[in-house]
Amino acid sequence: MADRQQHVHAHGERPDSPSAALLRRVQTHAPNSTQVVGFLALLVSGAVLLLLTGLTLTGAVVALVFLGPIALLTSPIWVPVAIAVTVLAAAALSACGFAVAALATGTWMYRYFTGRHPVGADRVDYARSRIADTASNVKDYAREYGGYLHSRSKDAAPGA
């Protein structure tokens, strides 16, 4: 048995025992100091945020308890005021939106008429040429068939 002497580590365990293997695994996966500090910072910030959440919820409940009856008694005043504020805010936002749209349209038209070729000018030119072509075709058609209709109306009403 002397030739099968087994080495014992500092912890008093043999190197092939299951507890030694587990200890080696834990040591290889142990976090470094940066990870430990980061985890502690996460815990502290989480605790602070949880405390602030509790204080906010408590303050909201206390405010609701004390200010609820006042809000209930003065609601005939607040409802029309809220409606008026909503309508005024919608009107102001609409006016601002229309002003921005008018400014954009004016800028586009200025660039178009000064020949700077803004975005979409080619489509406007194409539509203008199509409208002019259609108007010319309608005029030609009216000249060609207008006399025919005029002569037919004289046949239907000879005194006209």
Side-chain angles (χ1 to χ4, degrees), residues 59-75 78:
V61 168
V62 168
L64 187 62
V65 166
F66 287 116
L67 297 179
I70 295 171
L72 187 64
L73 291 175
T74 60
S75 65
W78 290 110

Side-chain angles (χ1 to χ4, degrees), residues 25-78:
R25 262 194 187 167
V26 167
Q27 286 175 347
T28 58
H29 294 296
N32 58 22
S33 63
T34 306
Q35 290 173 333
V36 170
V37 170
F39 183 70
L40 289 176
L42 179 69
L43 282 179
V44 169
S45 63
V48 168
L49 288 175
L50 189 62
L51 176 72
L52 289 175
T53 303
L55 288 175
T56 303
L57 188 61
T58 304
V61 168
V62 168
L64 187 62
V65 166
F66 287 116
L67 297 179
I70 295 171
L72 187 64
L73 291 175
T74 60
S75 65
I77 298 169
W78 290 110

